[in-house]
């Protein structure tokens, strides 16, 4: 039957139905005889059935059309590639060298030197992490001129990333830089624009004070911008100024930063251009940002100590607060990534605790995230942070290997640490096409952020990265107390 006949019959049937309902005259007139009424009623019911069948077809067509439109309209975000900074060997800072240096400086007494030495031996850091040049000097150089020397980190990783993919700097549409404890003028973003000759109308952003989770916050900002601006490239540069983190006082909770933070940085190239899908490594599937509430925001804070020296105070409650922030974040993420079987178990566990009070003693039900992800990149903020995530999510030792080895080799590189972990997994040849990767970071605020990536390419595991010269030596056993 021709398409226009269907349309004509559908319109006529709808008219006839409403005519019967409101007793309006139509070409089938009502009669008093019961037989005629029965015929009219049968015709009315037939028209109702016909109308509803046609409406179902139209609804199905509309749903399919909407799905196709959204599929092609939605801008996908691809991770084309990323690079992590590899410091010169001259900047290596073994524990023995670090301890000798702080002894000679004369700024610390025997108690604080002993405390830092003890923390370092239990920190999970090896002897191959790096300090910037200013800290190796005697006396140390912590001036602003020294601090902005971190340009060498940003310039290096940006140049390597652009050169590897032969990208014209003028093709970059969005630039985002992040550094927590230092915000010079002009900003790091402006320095990059000037150094590489980026376009004068580029959309540039410089994030500061966002802590170790600034890397994923930058990805979140880039994602939002890429959803608005078509056919665009976004360059993200993440790093930390270790110069500004060095604390010369006596408050133990502020001395911890001296022992954990090290030199590092990362460059990440994102795109929403369809043609970049064939060369991109990953596709961004989900990004979840959450905050711990109220007074918890002070558990990581830069402030002057009682002795007048400024430093980053790492509260004793950090481990507990990180666990609470993780719980909030995973509750949101679980709905997006877990298979239905795990989601049903999670919901039933919550309901069971509501109706049966003794069940509360068992603690919260932990979904099995290993069913949603093949790989985990946990922020290498410290041994306690990694152990907390392992315990809360019931992960295996292999699941946290990349994070533990990143801490051992490079220390806490702040917002870049999750990229060092992903580099480790790639260098090991573990990431396969179709695999899902969970990046998890914590930062001052207190923030807990998650990014979910899907590998969409067969990776060349022979390709060099920051781990290439070391990967054959890892994984290594990290004892509770290390003798450097």
């Amino acid at each position: 039957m021709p398409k226009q006949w269907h349309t004509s019959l559908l319109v006529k049937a709808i008219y006839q139905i409403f005519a019967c309902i409101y007793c309006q005259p139509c070409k089938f007139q009502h009669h008093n005889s019961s037989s005629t009424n029965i015929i009219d009623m049968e015709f009315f019911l037939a028209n109702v059935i016909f109308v509803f069948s046609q409406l179902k077809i139209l609804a199905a067509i509309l749903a399919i059309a909407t799905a196709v439109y959204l599929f092609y309209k939605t801008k996908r975000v691809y991770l084309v590639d990323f690079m992590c900074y590899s410091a010169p060997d001259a900047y290596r800072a073994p524990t023995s060298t670090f301890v000798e240096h702080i002894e000679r400086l004369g700024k610390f007494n025997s108690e604080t030197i002993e405390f830092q030495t003890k923390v370092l031996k239990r920190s999970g850091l090896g002897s191959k992490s790096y300090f910037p040049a200013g800290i190796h000097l005697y006396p140390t150089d912590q001036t602003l001129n020294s601090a902005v020397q971190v340009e060498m980190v940003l310039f290096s990783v940006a140049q390597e990333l652009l050169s590897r993919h032969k990208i014209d700097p003028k093709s970059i549409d969005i630039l985002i830089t992040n550094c927590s404890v230092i915000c010079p003028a002009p900003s790091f973003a402006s320095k990059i624009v000037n150094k590489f000759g980026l376009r004068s109308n580029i959309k540039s952003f410089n994030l500061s004070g966002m802590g170790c989770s600034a890397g994923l916050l930058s990805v979140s900002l880039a994602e939002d911008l890429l959803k608005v601006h078509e056919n665009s490239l976004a360059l993200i540069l993440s790093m930390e100024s270790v110069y500004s983190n060095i604390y010369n006082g006596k408050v133990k909770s502020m001395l911890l930063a001296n022992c954990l933070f090290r030199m590092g940085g990362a460059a990440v190239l994102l795109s929403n251009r369809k043609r970049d899908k064939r060369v991109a490594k990953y596709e961004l599937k989900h990004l979840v940002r959450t905050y711990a509430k109220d007074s918890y925001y002070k558990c990581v804070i830069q402030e002057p100590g009682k002795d007048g020296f400024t430093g980053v105070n790492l509260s004793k409650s950090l481990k507990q607060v990180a666990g609470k922030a993780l719980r909030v974040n995973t509750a949101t993420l679980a709905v997006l990534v877990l298979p239905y079987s795990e989601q049903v178990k999670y919901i039933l566990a919550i309901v069971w605790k509501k109706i049966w009070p003794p069940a509360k003693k068992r603690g919260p039900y932990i979904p099995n995230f290993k069913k949603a992800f093949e790989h985990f990149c946990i922020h290498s903020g410290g041994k306690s942070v990694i152990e907390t995530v392992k315990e809360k999510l019931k992960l295996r030792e292999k699941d946290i290997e990349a994070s533990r080895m990143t801490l051992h080799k490079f220390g806490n590189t702040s917002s870049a640490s999750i990229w060092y972990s992903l580099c480790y997994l790639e260098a090991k040849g573990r990431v396969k096409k179709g695999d899902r990767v969970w990046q998890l970071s914590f930062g001052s605020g207190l923030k807990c952020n998650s990014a979910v990536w899907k590998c969409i390419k067969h990776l060349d595991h022979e390709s060099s990265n920051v781990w290439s010269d070391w990967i054959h030596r890892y994984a290594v056993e990290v004892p509770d107390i290390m003798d450097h």
Side-chain angles (χ1 to χ4, degrees):
M1 183 179 291
K3 181 179 179 181
Q4 60 269 26
W5 289 12
H6 276 290
T7 305
S8 176
L9 286 174
L10 179 62
V11 173
K12 186 182 294 184
I14 294 174
Y15 169 76
Q16 290 168 351
I17 289 173
F18 280 97
C20 290
I21 293 174
Y22 292 103
C23 294
Q24 297 297 324
C26 65
K27 75 182 221 175
F28 294 95
Q29 297 295 329
H30 292 279
H31 300 284
N32 292 328
S33 65
S34 59
S35 59
T36 304
N37 287 336
I38 292 173
I39 294 173
D40 287 346
M41 182 58 68
E42 289 178 349
F43 179 80
F44 172 75
L45 292 176
N47 276 285
V48 169
I49 295 171
F50 175 76
V51 168
F52 277 103
S53 65
Q54 295 298 308
L55 288 176
K56 286 181 180 179
I57 295 173
L58 288 175
I61 294 173
L62 181 61
I64 294 172
T66 302
V68 171
Y69 172 79
L70 292 175
F71 177 81
Y72 286 102
K73 185 66 177 178
T74 301
K75 295 181 178 64
R76 301 189 174 209
V77 176
Y78 302 108
L79 196 169
V80 178
D81 204 355
F82 65 98
M83 299 287 173
C84 292
Y85 177 72
S86 180
D89 287 339
Y91 292 173
R92 194 168 63 88
T95 298
S96 56
T97 302
F98 177 80
V99 173
E100 181 183 2
H101 195 64
I102 62 176
E103 286 176 344
R104 293 184 61 196
L105 285 175
K107 295 181 179 180
F108 302 100
N109 57 29
S110 58
E111 182 182 355
T112 54
I113 292 174
E114 182 183 355
F115 173 77
Q116 291 179 82
T117 304
K118 185 184 296 184
V119 170
L120 276 168
K121 289 184 176 181
R122 290 169 168 78
S123 65
L125 273 73
S127 60
K128 301 293 192 296
S129 59
Y130 304 92
F131 268 132
I135 298 178
H136 286 278
L137 298 176
Y138 179 77
T140 56
D141 181 6
Q142 291 180 250
T143 63
L144 180 62
N145 287 334
S146 176
V148 296
Q149 285 180 15
V150 292
E151 295 168 6
M152 65 181 290
V153 176
L154 298 185
F155 292 168
S156 175
V157 290
Q159 182 63 61
E160 185 179 0
L161 183 60
L162 296 177
S163 298
R164 172 172 288 192
H165 292 274
K166 299 179 181 179
I167 295 174
D168 181 357
K170 293 188 182 299
S171 67
I172 302 296
D173 304 283
I174 300 165
L175 173 65
I176 303 172
T177 61
N178 62 73
C179 180
S180 275
V181 296
I182 185 171
C183 186
S187 68
F188 288 120
S190 297
K191 292 176 184 292
I192 294 294
V193 171
N194 184 65
K195 170 69 176 178
F196 293 95
L198 303 183
R199 298 201 314 265
S200 59
N201 64 342
I202 190 172
K203 300 166 185 64
S204 64
F205 304 86
N206 190 85
L207 306 183
S208 63
M210 306 301 287
C212 298
S213 64
L216 291 187
L217 288 170
S218 297
V219 173
S220 177
L221 175 58
E223 179 191 24
D224 291 339
L225 292 169
L226 289 171
K227 286 180 179 178
V228 177
H229 303 283
E230 296 182 357
N231 297 317
S232 297
L233 285 174
L235 176 63
I236 297 173
L237 300 174
S238 298
M239 50 107 196
E240 189 57 271
S241 172
V242 182
Y243 300 88
S244 306
N245 280 342
I246 295 299
Y247 169 71
N248 297 312
K250 300 178 181 179
V251 181
K252 292 183 177 180
S253 59
M254 301 176 79
L255 288 168
L256 291 173
N258 293 356
C259 305
L260 297 176
F261 285 93
R262 293 294 184 270
M263 187 179 186
V268 181
L269 185 64
L270 301 178
S271 173
N272 63 5
R273 304 185 306 190
K274 292 182 180 179
R275 65 178 180 271
D276 288 331
K277 182 179 180 179
R278 59 186 177 83
V279 297
K281 288 184 173 182
Y282 303 92
E283 180 184 341
L284 180 62
K285 306 302 291 185
H286 305 287
L287 203 149
V288 176
R289 297 170 48 182
T290 54
Y291 277 81
K293 296 180 179 179
D294 304 325
S295 60
Y296 295 134
Y297 84 99
K298 284 190 174 182
C299 66
V300 179
I301 184 171
Q302 185 184 30
E303 61 183 1
K306 297 178 181 179
D307 46 21
F309 294 101
T310 299
V312 176
N313 195 330
L314 303 177
S315 171
K316 292 181 179 179
S317 63
L318 181 57
K319 181 177 179 179
Q320 177 186 1
V321 176
K324 291 182 178 180
L326 176 64
R327 192 180 310 133
V328 175
N329 190 271
T330 52
T332 305
L333 184 65
V335 180
L336 300 173
V337 301
L338 287 176
Y340 291 125
S341 58
E342 281 298 309
Q343 292 191 39
V344 170
K345 291 179 183 178
Y346 183 62
I347 294 171
L348 290 177
I350 294 175
V351 173
W352 183 243
K353 286 188 177 184
K354 293 287 186 182
I355 63 177
W356 197 52
K360 294 181 179 179
K361 298 179 181 180
R362 299 180 182 177
Y365 174 77
I366 306 298
N368 185 3
F369 280 97
K370 293 186 289 293
K371 291 185 177 182
F373 306 108
E374 284 74 32
H375 310 287
F376 299 81
C377 295
I378 303 162
H379 167 51
S380 302
K383 187 166 67 173
S384 62
V385 172
I386 298 173
E387 290 293 339
T388 297
V389 175
K390 178 186 178 184
E391 175 189 347
K392 297 294 183 181
L393 299 181
K394 296 183 178 179
L395 300 179
R396 303 163 298 183
E397 186 63 31
K398 186 176 181 179
D399 297 325
I400 63 168
E401 179 186 316
S403 302
R404 198 187 289 281
M405 295 304 103
T406 295
L407 179 65
H408 181 271
K409 174 66 179 72
F410 297 101
N412 182 351
T413 55
S414 190
S415 55
S417 70
I418 52 175
W419 299 108
Y420 281 89
S421 296
L422 187 52
C423 268
Y424 179 89
L425 293 171
E426 288 188 358
K428 279 290 185 182
R430 293 178 183 171
V431 184
K432 309 296 182 183
K433 185 177 181 180
D435 284 358
R436 296 153 298 177
V437 180
W438 180 9
Q439 287 183 319
L440 177 66
S441 66
F442 298 90
S444 57
L446 183 94
K447 296 179 285 292
C448 180
N449 301 322
S450 291
V452 178
W453 303 93
K454 182 178 180 180
C455 182
I456 58 174
K457 178 184 178 182
H458 292 291
L459 302 182
D460 179 10
H461 302 301
E462 299 298 323
S463 177
S464 64
N465 68 24
V466 72
W467 279 97
S468 297
D469 295 335
W470 303 91
I471 198 65
H472 62 283
R473 305 183 186 182
Y474 286 85
V476 299
E477 184 179 352
V478 181
D480 292 334
I481 300 178
M482 291 187 289
D483 185 16
H484 296 280

